[in-house]
C-alpha cells in the first residue's frame, strides 16, 4: 500500500517492514533517526510505549494515547521544525526531532463515512469489543458526537472502565453497557477478534440483538473479506463493510503526514486489496 502510494507520488522512497522487540524499540527509533528516515509506522505492541520515546506528541497522539506514526523533522533556517521530506538536501544537524501522531482513530470515522455512507454524529451505535481497537473506536465515536453508545464486551470490567472514561471525556454521549433493549440502531460495530478464525462464534448474541435491528454493520476484520457476521448482516438487509478501509485510511494519512501531499487513495486501496485478497474482495452491500 505505502510503496504503491510512494510510487504514485513519484518519490524514490521505500517503505520497509522490520520486526522490532519492545525492549529494542528505543534503539530502533534512534537508528531510524540517525539514518535520516522520513518517518515510521508502529503497530501492536509498540503504540503505547512509543508515546514515551518520541520528542513531541501531536494533538492526535495526545488525544488517543497511542502513536502509530512518527515523522522526523529538522529546523529550517528560520528555526521552524519541518518534515525531513521538505528539505532538498539533508539538513546538517544532529538535532532531528521525532514527532508522534495517531492516524488510527480518524481512520475509523473516515471508513464509516466513505465505506458505509454513515456520519455518526447524533447516531445510535452498538460497539462489540473493548480491547485496544474497541477503546479507540468508542472514544473517537463519542468525540464525533454519537448520541447513544452501547458497549458489549466479554470481560465486563473493561467495558465498565471504558464507559466511565467516555462519561468523563464526552458527557454528551449516553453510554450504556450491554445491548439496547429495544428499537433499532444505526450501526453495529465489531471490534472483537471473533471472526478471524473460521470456527469462531458470531461476536453478537442474536437472541439479544437481532441483526435487522441495525441499519449498518461494520466489522474491523478484513481477512476474511466477508466474516460470518458480515454475511449474516447482509442477509438481514444491513449495509455492510469490512475493516480494510480502516487499515487503508490510517496509511493514507501517514503518507500525507510524511509528504505533505494528498495521498493517492485509490492506488493505495488497489495495492492493499491485491496484497491481502489477491484480487478485489466481494463488494459490500
Ligand atoms: N481494520 C483495521 O485496521 C484494524 C485495526 C486494529 C484492529 N483491528 C481488528 O480489531 C480486532 C480487535 O483488535 P484489538 O487490537 O482491539 O485486539 P485486543 O486488544 O486483543 O482486543 C480483542 C477484543 O476481542 C475480544 N475477544 C477476543 N476473543 C474473544 C472471545 N473468544 N469471545 C469474546 N470476545 C473475545 C476481547 O474481549 P476481552 O476484553 O474479554 O478479552 C477484546 O474486546 C481484531 O480482529 C483486529 O484484527 C482491525
Amino acid at each position: 500500500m505505502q510503496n504503491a502510494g510512494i510510487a504514485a507520488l513519484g518519490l524514490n522512497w521505500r517503505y520497509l517492514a522490520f520486526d522490532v522487540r519492545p525492549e529494542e524499540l528505543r534503539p530502533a527509533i534512534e537508528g531510524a533517526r540517525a539514518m535520516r528516515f522520513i518517518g515510521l509506522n508502529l503497530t501492536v505492541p509498540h503504540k503505547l510505549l512509543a508515546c514515551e520515546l518520541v520528542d513531541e506528541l501531536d494533538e492526535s497522539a495526545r488525544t488517543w494515547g497511542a502513536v502509530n506514526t512518527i515523522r522526523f523533522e529538522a529546523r529550517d533556517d528560520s528555526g521552524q521544525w519541518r518534515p525531513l521530506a521538505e528539505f532538498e538536501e539533508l539538513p546538517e544537524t544532529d538535532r532531528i526531532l521525532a514527532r508522534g501522531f495517531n492516524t488510527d482513530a480518524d481512520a475509523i470515522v473516515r471508513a464509516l463515512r466513505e465505506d458505509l455512507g454513515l456520519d455518526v454524529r447524533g447516531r445510535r451505535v452498538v460497539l462489540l469489543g473493548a480491547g485496544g481497537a474497541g477503546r479507540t473506536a468508542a472514544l473517537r465515536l463519542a468525540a464525533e458526537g454519537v448520541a447513544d453508545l452501547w458497549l458489549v464486551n466479554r470481560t465486563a470490567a473493561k467495558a465498565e472502565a471504558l464507559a466511565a472514561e467516555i462519561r468523563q471525556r464526552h458527557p454528551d454521549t449516553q453510554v450504556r453497557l450491554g445491548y439496547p433493549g429495544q428499537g433499532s440502531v444505526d450501526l453495529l460495530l465489531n471490534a472483537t477478534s471473533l471472526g478471524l478464525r473460521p470456527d469462531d462464534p458470531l461476536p453478537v448474541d442474536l437472541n439479544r440483538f437481532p441483526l435487522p435491528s441495525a441499519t449498518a454493520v461494520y466489522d474491523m476484520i478484513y481477512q476474511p473479506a466477508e466474516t460470518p457476521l458480515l454475511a449474516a448482516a447482509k442477509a438481514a438487509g444491513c449495509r455492510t463493510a469490512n475493516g480494510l478501509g480502516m487499515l487503508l485510511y490510517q496509511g493514507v494519512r501517514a503518507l500525507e503526514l510524511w509528504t505533505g501531499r494528498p495521498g493517492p487513495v485509490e492506488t493505495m486501496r488497489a495495492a492493499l486489496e491485491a496484497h491481502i485478497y489477491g484480487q478485489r474482495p466481494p463488494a459490500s452491500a
Side-chain angles (χ1 to χ4, degrees), residues 46-90:
H46 298 312
K47 295 183 190 184
L48 300 184
L49 183 55
C51 290
E52 292 159 31
L53 300 180
V54 295
D55 305 302
E56 294 281 341
L57 288 173
D58 174 68
E59 174 77 29
S60 58
R62 263 200 305 277
T63 304
W64 310 115
V67 165
N68 78 322
T69 302
I70 291 176
R71 185 172 72 192
F72 291 110
E73 301 180 1
R75 282 191 204 274
D76 65 13
D77 292 342
S78 66
Q80 289 286 329
W81 289 108
R82 285 172 41 205
L84 286 194
E86 290 185 14
F87 290 83
E88 280 188 11
E89 286 181 18
L90 281 179

Side-chain angles (χ1 to χ4, degrees), residues 47 59-69 101-113 120 132-144 169 189 218 220 245-247 249-251 253:
K47 295 183 190 184
E59 174 77 29
S60 58
R62 263 200 305 277
T63 304
W64 310 115
V67 165
N68 78 322
T69 302
F101 297 82
N102 183 299
T103 70
D104 288 328
D106 286 355
I108 297 169
V109 173
R110 183 168 176 188
L112 296 175
R113 193 174 56 237
V120 294
R135 177 180 174 276
T136 302
L139 288 166
R140 184 65 186 84
L141 292 178
E144 194 67 15
R169 288 175 65 172
L189 174 54
Y218 191 88
M220 286 196 184
M246 259 180 77
L247 181 63
Y249 299 127
Q250 63 75 31
R253 182 68 190 128

Side-chain angles (χ1 to χ4, degrees), residues 129-133 153-155 158 191-194 220-222 243 246-247:
N153 195 48
R154 175 180 59 178
T155 308
K158 275 161 74 176
T192 77
S193 42
L194 288 178
M220 286 196 184
I221 294 171
Y222 50 81
M246 259 180 77
L247 181 63

Side-chain angles (χ1 to χ4, degrees), residues 13-24:
W13 303 358
R14 293 291 180 278
Y15 186 90
L16 301 168
F18 300 94
D19 268 330
V20 175
R21 290 186 294 166
E23 59 273 25
E24 290 181 314

Side-chain angles (χ1 to χ4, degrees), residues 174-190:
Q174 286 287 325
V175 57
R176 303 177 192 87
L177 301 176
Y179 293 99
Q182 57 190 7
S184 60
V185 302
D186 300 290
L187 174 68
L188 174 70
L189 174 54
N190 179 37

